[in-house]
Amino acid sequence: VVLVCGENDLAYGASVAKTMKRLTKAVDRLASGGARVIFIGTKPEPSTKSLHKKYRKYDQKMRALTRDGNLYTFIDSYGGFEALGNPNSLYKGDKLHLSEEGYALWTAWTKAALNDEPGCASWLSGECAPTCAPDKWSAKKCDRKCAGKKAGKCTSDKKAGKKCRSK
């Protein structure tokens, strides 16, 4: 089951905690039936900049759910769009809803997560995401640490945690 939810709740005034409670209730119900659940995180829509801080907190809490087992997977849409520079071409003219290009990315990222056999819990831009600094996860921060080691990008390793891979 692929879920995209929470942005409207947050936009209409629900707290991150309340929105997360709603998500957890739905996920628990799905998981009790044995479903694998993939969450697509929020996106940095140009027209909702005042909500981005809430979006990031909500995404962090969704990501935390994925650490508790293999049934849950998180796709970091916000981080993926930012990594591309979050161009307006990812959105329709209202700068809120996704364009065909934006949906094409979501589709590609979701397919990568669905096809993953090892069970990566967190995805960014179609690749298994780094596990460094799990409580304050930041792909850019992790990649900077790896760049300082002249090793390229940060990736995850289930046994060792943070791991830098060559360029």
Side-chain angles (χ1 to χ4, degrees), residues 67-78:
R67 288 189 219 120
D68 295 334
N70 288 332
L71 287 178
Y72 307 141
T73 302
F74 176 74
I75 297 174
D76 186 356
S77 177
Y78 195 110

Side-chain angles (χ1 to χ4, degrees), residues 23-144:
L23 173 70
T24 304
K25 185 177 178 181
V27 167
D28 287 347
R29 194 171 200 191
L30 292 166
S32 70
R36 177 180 176 203
V37 181
I38 296 177
F39 313 114
I40 297 180
T42 63
K43 55 195 181 304
E45 307 123 340
S47 68
T48 63
K49 289 184 180 182
S50 64
L51 294 171
H52 289 194
K53 187 175 179 180
K54 281 177 129 179
Y55 284 179
R56 296 306 279 168
K57 285 181 184 179
Y58 181 63
D59 282 354
Q60 186 176 12
K61 290 186 178 292
M62 280 194 287
R63 186 178 293 106
L65 278 179
T66 66
R67 288 189 219 120
D68 295 334
N70 288 332
L71 287 178
Y72 307 141
T73 302
F74 176 74
I75 297 174
D76 186 356
S77 177
Y78 195 110
F81 283 10
E82 279 192 325
L84 296 169
N86 198 36
N88 287 334
S89 62
L90 298 177
Y91 306 92
K92 291 185 176 183
D94 63 5
K95 295 187 169 97
L96 174 67
H97 297 97
L98 290 179
S99 65
E100 284 187 37
E101 182 181 348
Y103 277 117
L105 288 172
W106 269 14
T107 299
W109 298 342
T110 302
K111 283 181 179 180
L114 285 168
N115 292 329
D116 180 50
E117 291 299 322
C120 178
S122 187
W123 289 79
L124 176 67
S125 301
E127 294 185 17
C128 189
T131 57
C132 65
D135 294 332
K136 294 183 179 175
W137 191 90
S138 165
K140 288 180 183 177
K141 184 176 182 181
C142 189
D143 285 343
R144 279 196 303 269

